[in-house]
Amino acid sequence: MKKLALAAALLAAVGFSGAVNAADLTLRISLQLPLKSHLGQNLLMFKQEVEEKSNGDIEVQIYDSAQLYKDKEVPAAVGSGSIEMGVASLTRYVGDVPAVDVFYQPFLLDSEEKVRKAVAPGSPVRGPLDAAIAETGATVLWWQAYGGSIMLSNDGPIKGPDGLKGQKVRVFSKTQGDFISAAGGAPTLISGSEQYIAYQRGTVDVGMTGMSGVKSRQLWEVMDTVTTTNDADIEFIVVVNTDFWNGLTDAQRDIISTAGINAENDVRDRMSTIEAEAFAEAKANGMTIYTPTEEELAAWREAAKPVHAEFLEHAGDLGKQVFEAAQKF
């Protein structure tokens, strides 16, 4: 009886303490990647700063590994207010804002210097895209760098467009699909959280992804070769429901915005190191890393030309605007 009484007293104490320290505001964030991924770690950095600066008045809950929503479902979930915040691949907004796929135009932003200019807040590329995304009911808080696009395969690298002929290829954007089709392959749009199984089951023969994803998802278990095409810049964005955001106090928005800016700068500055570590771990786990020759890159670039033309024809005035801005970097 004494033990039961003691337990009851402890529970009462915990319950009382929890009630006193309960957060005034809860931010739920959906993430498709594992928490151990660099995007997950970036969210943890954000969470720590927000909760510390708010003295616990704001609680951040991270639902990783697509527990609540798959990547493709995040824009609608956040825009409708079903969840306060979410992380989505930038290309998931292509249905509402076709111009976002400027980042996936093959070999347009093919250096870190060009990428940094394009993703800078208020740049002639990012600024108009953030504004267009805001019209979907979601406000962009910060961008998360994910590195350059690479190709995964088994039993040898992809040596130019000819290597894709007759191959089924996992892509994660419409523009990538256009690129693969132009090169002679058969694109299949597959969510990031489902690509491991797709490779394991042979649903596709080749995969397009970021190097950091190879590490976080341990894709060396199902694919053995990386071809470093670096044909596109992969970006994720962290968005918040606009009505929810507008309903916060100035102090709350200031804490959240500042933490978001700090998180964005941190992941951008560490991206080259993150990729280098991912390459090293992939090698250590038996993967072959193949760098295309200049001749192969020239063939890839030639295959990309119709993709640029297609984008400019269908991405509207905004697409043309951001494409031309990117060309100047």
Side-chain angles (χ1 to χ4, degrees):
M1 291 295 291
K2 287 182 179 180
K3 289 182 179 179
L4 288 173
L6 178 60
L10 287 171
L11 286 171
V14 170
F16 177 75
S17 174
V20 169
N21 296 320
D24 294 331
L25 177 71
T26 299
L27 299 177
R28 296 171 301 154
I29 307 178
S30 176
L31 171 70
Q32 65 147 327
L33 287 149
L35 202 57
K36 65 182 179 181
S37 69
H38 80 270
L39 297 194
Q41 294 300 302
N42 189 240
L43 291 184
L44 285 174
M45 175 185 173
F46 169 78
K47 169 183 169 71
Q48 181 177 357
E49 181 174 340
V50 167
E51 293 180 347
E52 285 183 357
K53 294 290 177 63
S54 69
N55 295 315
D57 290 340
I58 304 176
E59 179 186 3
V60 178
Q61 299 176 354
I62 304 169
Y63 294 87
D64 67 312
S65 301
Q67 293 179 56
L68 298 183
Y69 302 100
K70 293 177 181 175
D71 185 43
K72 63 185 178 182
E73 298 169 335
V74 170
V78 174
S80 67
S82 297
I83 191 169
E84 293 80 33
M85 293 175 61
V87 179
S89 173
L90 177 63
T91 190
R92 289 305 183 187
Y93 280 90
V94 73
D96 294 309
V97 187
V100 298
D101 261 7
V102 68
F103 280 87
Y104 299 91
Q105 291 306 301
F107 307 104
L108 178 63
L109 296 168
D110 55 359
S111 71
E112 184 176 359
E113 180 184 7
K114 292 179 182 179
V115 168
R116 279 184 172 271
K117 289 180 180 179
V119 301
S123 84
V125 174
R126 173 176 168 177
L129 295 181
D130 280 356
I133 290 170
E135 296 179 9
T136 70
T139 296
V140 178
L141 288 181
W142 79 93
W143 286 42
Q144 291 180 309
Y146 202 72
S149 174
I150 53 94
M151 292 188 183
L152 299 176
S153 56
N154 277 320
D155 304 321
I158 309 299
K159 295 187 175 183
D162 287 344
L164 290 181
K165 285 184 167 48
Q167 300 289 299
K168 294 173 292 182
V169 185
R170 179 260 171 171
V171 300
F172 52 90
S173 80
K174 177 187 180 300
T175 292
Q176 283 184 322
D178 293 341
F179 179 41
I180 295 304
S181 294
T188 302
L189 192 63
I190 295 175
S191 176
S193 59
E194 299 172 335
Q195 63 177 314
Y196 185 103
I197 294 176
Y199 302 145
Q200 186 179 51
R201 294 177 177 174
T203 305
V204 291
D205 309 300
V206 177
M208 300 184 78
T209 189
M211 199 60 214
S212 61
V214 174
K215 177 182 175 181
S216 64
R217 300 186 189 280
Q218 299 182 327
L219 296 180
W220 49 71
E221 295 178 355
V222 287
M223 299 294 253
D224 62 27
T225 306
V226 173
T227 301
T228 58
T229 48
N230 194 34
D231 52 277
D233 172 51
I234 307 172
E235 297 290 334
F236 281 73
I237 54 175
V238 184
V239 291
V240 60
N241 175 266
T242 300
D243 289 340
F244 174 81
W245 180 246
N246 291 339
L248 302 181
T249 66
D250 289 342
Q252 289 170 331
R253 282 196 296 267
D254 183 61
I255 289 171
I256 295 167
S257 294
T258 300
I261 291 170
N262 290 337
E264 175 169 332
N265 291 336
D266 179 76
V267 72
R268 185 71 56 187
D269 290 342
R270 292 191 303 107
M271 194 62 238
S272 59
T273 300
I274 290 169
E275 283 192 305
E277 291 174 349
F279 275 114
E281 192 154 349
K283 282 184 180 179
N285 281 276
M287 295 194 89
T288 298
I289 311 299
Y290 179 77
T291 301
T293 66
E294 287 301 320
E295 184 179 0
E296 289 164 0
L297 283 174
W300 283 121
R301 291 177 185 278
E302 187 64 27
K305 289 181 179 179
V307 182
H308 295 173
E310 175 79 9
F311 175 79
L312 290 171
E313 183 179 350
H314 294 99
D317 292 340
L318 180 58
K320 182 179 180 182
Q321 176 186 337
V322 294
F323 185 89
E324 291 178 348
Q327 282 184 312
K328 295 176 182 177
F329 293 147

